[in-house]
Amino acid sequence: MEHVVLLPAGQLGKNFIPSPYLPDGKDEFYLRNSQIPQPHPAWRHLRADELEQLVKNGNTADNWDDVLVTDEFEPAQIKNSSFFGLVRLGRMRNQILEHHDMQVPVGITNSRIVSCDIGDDAAVHNVSYLAHYIIGNRCILLNIDEMHTTNYAKFGNGIVKDGEPESVRIWLDLMNEAGGRRVIPFDGMITADAYLWAKYREDKGLLERLKDITQKQFDSRRGYYGTVGDQCVIKNCQILKDVKIGAHCYIKGANKLKNLTINSSPEEPSQIGEGVELVNGIIGYGCHIFYGCKAVRFILGNNSNLKYGARLIHSFLGDNSTISCCEVLNNLIFPAHEQHHNNSFLIASVVLGQSNMAAGATVGSNHNSRANDNEVQAGRGFWPGLCTSIKHSSRFASFVLLSKGDYPAELDIPLPFSLLNNNVSQDRLEVMPAFWWLFNMYALARNTWKFLTRDKRIRKTQHIEFDSLAPDTAEEIFHAMRLLEEWTAKAYLRRQGQSPDSRSADDLAALGRTLLCSGEKGVADLEVLGEKMEKSSRKAVILKPIEGYQAYRQMLLYYAVKNLLSWMQANPQAHFEDLKTALQGPRCRDWVNLGGQLIPAEDVDRLRADIRDGKLQTWQQIHDRYDQLWQRYPADKQKHAWATLCSLWETQTLTAEQWKEALRQAVQIQHLICQRVYESRKKDYENPFRQATYRSSEEMLAVIGPLEENDFVKRVRQETEQFQAAVQAVLQRG
């Protein structure tokens, strides 16, 4: 096959759509014309005086009859440029466009334009090759080497155009390097879609329908032009090929942008900066990609960022996330993820959001196996600490914090809000349940507020549960409490010289519950061992099991009362009996985090069945179902909260006295939260090593501010007062 093909003169800008793919009675511009914003401009041919002026200005055209203009056309604004094929120009006057103190005249200079539509008052200067693009109004295109669209452009969507083989389809290998969870990317895809597609791989009917739905969502006809929305600025770039660009987008100094959709709007403008190379991707609204980043086969959710040389490959980065410097391969990352350090590494994982990767963290080293089909699954709030290394395959409950260490074997940590430590000196794994609640309340309480504050999205297609205490974490806590009960009972029986194997799981749980709740002397000294938490023969020791167990109970009670209190506030005339009647029912024990949105598993199963059976035939209909479930979610959560409180009281329903006691305990817990938030922050002020860098306490306070004036500390105190007042009002209702 020839590498460079020689064509006859006069072909440039012609026959954009190959004849086999041009419908009968249509010309090569029929799709281009359908893309023009309504109403169509009143284009006309050049007048003789205009043509004369254009030629005097050093302009050439393959055929001047193919250059169309509007009545507001000043030929003096076009200089030293060449035109090929059908070129249609909008209003062009002697005016100046200004952007960030850069001023350029409206017009076209030193450029080659091939079969393009250029909007009103646009500036195109030093563009060596601009072909098959529709440029919006007031756009600035400056110093671009190559910007063109092919007749088979897909703009990052994983579809196949007419006449193309299946082998050209773009897939994303999410969660797994071997491709066993691959999905087809498309403009509008959210993390819920990707997880639904990647997770339920045994559901072959679902997979076939999702592929079919995606292919049908986009037109497979050849001949669509690339588009640049109104008031975009693209300058000092090398190559843009098959890129669809939304309005008000700012692109400067990019090396290569190929096969992309860049969503942007006046309310949520996106920006792409110097040295960036992006290939085969979808970029959400309000995104920022700067300073040498590389991304290949990727989706970037709304209001997300890549910075400082980050590498994102075969990955989906959810909304409200930032990745800087590091390498991220084959991942599905739910919203609100932070990863800022050059020497961190994340591979083949699903991270369920609200996560943070510290410097030196290496998550997913696959050198412990000959195969590359291993995975990491991390719950919400996953936080591996400095210089942490973990192996495939590992699984973590929500809000697990890993202390610095090289964890030598695969892990399965079912205890949420826990601290994990690799104790090398004693050759054991240590897990402290409920660590966040016990010792890091400031960070835990601040999480929900922080994520809500950082959610700058206007288009909130992906619904997100930001509260750390929600149905998913509540069920994890119930499971963790059961494990602590069984493990504590086994530790007690071993110390008594008895074999735990002779007891049933329920008997062990009952004994453990008694031990953990009674505070019996000697229980605190038990060596409680976790089971199946690490693929090794060394011990997995549970630290502070009694404190952790009691903290879990506090967390469940607080979660339950807080949500039930919301129901009472939304129903100001309701009494306890009304609450019970409205919310009574069994506890939903299985919840799915679908991209950040929590949905009962039975509803996800119903969703899958409706897709499989053809009841949901488009992605919009699937998203509408997400919306319906999100509208129902507050009620679902409140019903779960009621059932949670019943489970804590070990009863089918609550009495009025039990409800009042729960309210009183919740107030005490709220005060405990307020106290621990203050104490957590106070440690920073009392730490002598932190004080060592200051000449005096006055200097320290001038730099970091007084503790009593800390905005979040004051916020929690105010919330505590409001919570207590709300409880008091409910208690008075009866």
Side-chain angles (χ1 to χ4, degrees):
M1 183 176 181
E2 294 183 82
H3 190 59
V4 177
V5 179
L6 188 65
L7 299 175
Q11 290 299 302
L12 187 55
K14 304 292 180 60
N15 303 316
F16 181 59
I17 303 177
S19 56
Y21 308 108
L22 191 61
D24 292 339
K26 300 290 186 180
D27 61 23
E28 63 171 302
F29 310 119
Y30 83 103
L31 290 177
R32 169 184 176 179
N33 291 334
S34 72
Q35 294 179 265
I36 300 298
Q38 299 291 337
H40 287 236
W43 288 302
R44 61 171 176 80
H45 289 287
L46 292 164
R47 299 194 308 263
D49 61 311
E50 293 170 336
L51 176 55
E52 182 181 5
Q53 180 69 53
L54 288 170
V55 173
K56 284 183 178 180
N57 290 347
N59 301 297
T60 64
D62 191 46
N63 184 350
W64 283 112
D65 287 339
D66 287 338
V67 178
L68 305 181
V69 298
T70 67
D71 285 337
E72 294 185 90
F73 174 68
E74 298 185 20
Q77 300 306 112
I78 302 180
K79 300 175 182 178
N80 302 319
S81 296
S82 56
F83 300 88
F84 300 86
L86 178 62
V87 176
R88 301 183 292 204
L89 306 179
R91 182 174 59 221
M92 196 158 289
R93 303 171 294 174
N94 185 15
Q95 302 245 333
I96 300 295
L97 296 180
E98 182 179 66
H99 179 261
H100 292 179
D101 297 323
M102 180 187 73
Q103 297 180 345
V104 295
V106 169
I108 303 173
T109 61
N110 304 314
S111 299
R112 177 177 286 115
I113 312 298
V114 179
S115 194
C116 290
D117 294 334
I118 297 178
D120 294 340
D121 300 318
V124 180
H125 303 297
N126 302 320
V127 179
S128 299
Y129 185 68
L130 177 62
H132 303 110
Y133 257 93
I134 299 172
I135 308 299
N137 302 324
R138 293 193 187 181
C139 287
I140 297 175
L141 275 60
L142 178 66
N143 301 332
I144 301 172
D145 291 343
E146 172 188 335
M147 182 171 174
H148 72 105
T149 305
T150 62
N151 70 78
Y152 49 84
K154 306 165 189 69
F155 308 112
N157 297 297
I159 60 172
V160 174
K161 289 287 188 174
D162 292 347
E164 290 187 320
E166 178 66 25
S167 59
V168 305
R169 190 187 299 276
I170 297 296
W171 295 83
L172 301 187
D173 294 337
L174 303 181
M175 300 168 57
N176 191 302
E177 293 176 275
R181 297 190 185 274
R182 65 180 188 167
V183 307
I184 298 174
F186 62 89
D187 184 20
M189 190 180 213
I190 58 177
T191 43
D193 304 330
Y195 188 75
L196 185 71
W197 199 330
K199 185 64 176 176
Y200 298 94
R201 302 304 288 189
E202 76 285 1
D203 192 341
K204 302 300 183 183
L206 173 69
L207 304 187
E208 292 174 3
R209 288 290 301 131
L210 293 179
K211 180 180 178 182
D212 184 57
I213 288 171
T214 305
Q215 177 66 35
K216 289 180 178 178
Q217 179 157 319
F218 299 90
D219 197 334
S220 65
R221 293 176 295 176
R222 295 180 182 228
Y224 281 98
Y225 276 37
T227 56
V228 177
D230 293 343
Q231 300 194 43
C232 287
V233 177
I234 306 173
K235 66 180 185 179
N236 305 322
C237 296
Q238 295 181 16
I239 299 173
L240 290 86
K241 181 179 179 181
D242 293 348
V243 180
K244 177 182 177 183
I245 303 171
H248 290 248
C249 186
Y250 182 28
I251 303 174
K252 57 177 180 176
N255 290 347
K256 183 176 184 179
L257 306 178
K258 179 181 178 183
N259 192 28
L260 305 171
T261 290
I262 304 173
N263 289 294
S264 182
S265 70
E267 301 78 18
E268 297 176 286
S270 292
Q271 297 184 25
I272 296 176
E274 295 83 355
V276 168
E277 297 177 7
L278 309 174
V279 178
N280 300 335
I282 307 292
I283 298 166
Y285 289 91
C287 289
H288 299 80
I289 306 175
F290 293 137
Y291 312 126
C293 293
K294 318 293 181 188
V296 179
R297 300 200 182 210
F298 69 99
I299 296 180
L300 208 61
N302 295 340
N303 191 37
S304 288
N305 309 288
L306 297 180
K307 300 178 180 178
Y308 309 117
R311 286 146 291 169
L312 184 71
I313 301 171
H314 275 289
S315 293
F316 192 140
L317 180 64
D319 296 359
N320 299 337
S321 299
T322 298
I323 290 180
S324 299
C325 310
C326 52
E327 187 170 2
V328 176
L329 312 173
N330 303 99
N331 299 288
L332 173 54
I333 304 173
F334 288 13
H337 175 79
E338 301 290 327
Q339 190 168 349
H340 296 281
H341 305 283
N342 190 43
N343 52 347
S344 63
F345 179 73
L346 182 64
I347 184 171
S349 71
V350 55
V351 182
L352 302 188
Q354 301 169 38
S355 39
N356 195 308
M357 293 275 293
T362 303
V363 174
S365 170
N366 62 349
H367 296 294
N368 59 325
S369 171
R370 291 181 294 275
N372 62 346
D373 56 355
N374 300 307
E375 305 171 1
V376 169
Q377 178 178 314
R380 289 200 290 144
F382 180 59
W383 195 328
L386 293 168
C387 300
T388 297
S389 175
I390 64 172
K391 307 292 187 186
H392 285 117
S393 292
S394 291
R395 181 175 60 173
F396 302 90
S398 300
F399 292 92
V400 172
L401 174 62
L402 281 69
S403 65
K404 176 180 179 180
D406 181 8
Y407 292 84
E410 298 90 326
L411 298 165
D412 188 1
I413 309 301
L415 308 180
F417 302 96
S418 61
L419 172 66
L420 195 65
N421 179 51
N422 179 34
N423 191 327
V424 178
S425 63
Q426 297 186 45
D427 189 28
R428 68 184 196 181
L429 181 71
E430 298 175 341
V431 186
M432 186 184 300
F435 168 82
W436 289 76
W437 184 266
L438 292 168
F439 301 107
N440 200 17
M441 184 66 81
Y442 182 89
L444 181 61
R446 187 172 175 268
N447 266 355
T448 301
W449 169 81
K450 175 181 70 176
F451 293 130
L452 283 169
T453 302
R454 293 177 180 176
D455 187 5
K456 305 298 184 183
R457 300 172 301 156
I458 294 176
R459 292 169 177 80
K460 297 184 178 180
T461 309
Q462 177 63 72
H463 304 298
I464 309 170
E465 170 61 90
F466 287 117
D467 202 324
S468 55
L469 291 176
D472 61 334
T473 51
E475 287 303 319
E476 287 183 325
I477 289 173
F478 273 118
H479 179 58
M481 291 175 66
R482 172 72 180 217
L483 292 176
L484 289 178
E485 291 166 357
E486 293 182 19
W487 294 342
T488 300
K490 290 180 179 181
Y492 179 81
L493 293 173
R494 283 193 295 266
R495 193 169 68 175
Q496 299 298 318
Q498 302 178 36
S499 173
D501 296 338
S502 61
R503 305 287 188 98
S504 69
D506 288 342
D507 288 342
L508 290 171
L511 174 59
R513 188 159 50 252
T514 300
L515 295 169
L516 290 166
C517 294
S518 66
E520 181 180 332
K521 185 177 180 181
V523 174
D525 298 330
L526 289 174
E527 184 182 54
V528 178
L529 302 179
E531 298 176 359
K532 299 179 181 179
M533 302 180 77
E534 184 179 56
K535 187 184 177 184
S536 73
S537 58
R538 66 176 185 166
K539 293 179 180 178
V541 179
I542 307 301
L543 304 179
K544 300 184 180 296
I546 296 177
E547 293 89 335
Y549 186 84
Q550 294 173 352
Y552 280 151
R553 288 189 63 88
Q554 290 177 339
M555 295 167 81
L556 288 174
L557 189 141
Y558 181 71
Y559 154 75
V561 171
K562 186 177 178 181
N563 281 283
L564 297 177
L565 200 60
S566 295
W567 189 94
M568 295 294 283
Q569 290 174 316
N571 298 273
Q573 304 304 317
H575 298 275
F576 169 71
E577 291 300 326
D578 301 312
L579 175 71
K580 180 164 64 172
T581 301
L583 303 182
Q584 183 71 35
R587 193 177 96 225
C588 176
R589 297 169 183 261
D590 193 358
W591 294 76
V592 176
N593 184 341
L594 204 63
Q597 178 178 351
L598 302 183
I599 303 176
E602 63 180 9
D603 287 327
V604 175
D605 292 340
R606 190 174 300 112
L607 167 67
R608 290 164 50 203
D610 288 347
I611 295 171
R612 193 170 52 242
D613 297 341
K615 295 179 181 178
L616 301 177
Q617 299 183 358
T618 68
W619 279 112
Q620 185 57 57
Q621 291 176 352
I622 295 171
H623 288 184
D624 289 344
R625 176 68 63 84
Y626 297 159
D627 292 342
Q628 294 166 13
L629 293 170
W630 181 253
Q631 293 298 319
R632 207 186 72 195
Y633 175 62
D636 287 344
K637 182 161 59 170
Q638 288 162 352
K639 290 179 180 179
H640 183 267
W642 172 269
T644 294
L645 205 54
C646 292
S647 296
L648 287 175
W649 253 259
E650 300 183 32
T651 180
Q652 294 294 320
T653 189
L654 296 176
T655 65
E657 279 307 312
Q658 288 172 327
W659 167 237
K660 292 177 182 178
E661 178 60 23
L663 288 170
R664 286 189 286 265
Q665 289 186 27
V667 170
Q668 296 174 357
I669 294 171
Q670 180 63 55
H671 282 286
L672 178 66
I673 291 171
C674 185
Q675 177 187 348
R676 286 182 176 170
V677 165
Y678 179 82
E679 291 174 348
S680 296
R681 191 72 179 103
K682 187 178 179 182
K683 294 175 184 177
D684 295 334
Y685 287 79
E686 295 179 340
N687 187 333
F689 291 93
R690 288 181 179 266
Q691 297 172 0
T693 60
Y694 304 104
R695 293 178 295 105
S696 62
S697 59
E698 290 77 13
E699 181 191 1
M700 182 179 75
L701 293 177
V703 172
I704 65 175
L707 175 58
E708 299 299 330
E709 296 181 11
N710 180 277
D711 287 340
F712 188 70
V713 169
K714 291 194 293 186
R715 175 185 293 272
V716 174
R717 286 177 173 171
Q718 182 180 10
E719 289 175 353
T720 300
E721 294 174 0
Q722 294 170 347
F723 187 87
Q724 184 168 346
V727 168
Q728 189 60 39
V730 169
L731 284 171
Q732 290 175 355
R733 284 194 224 172

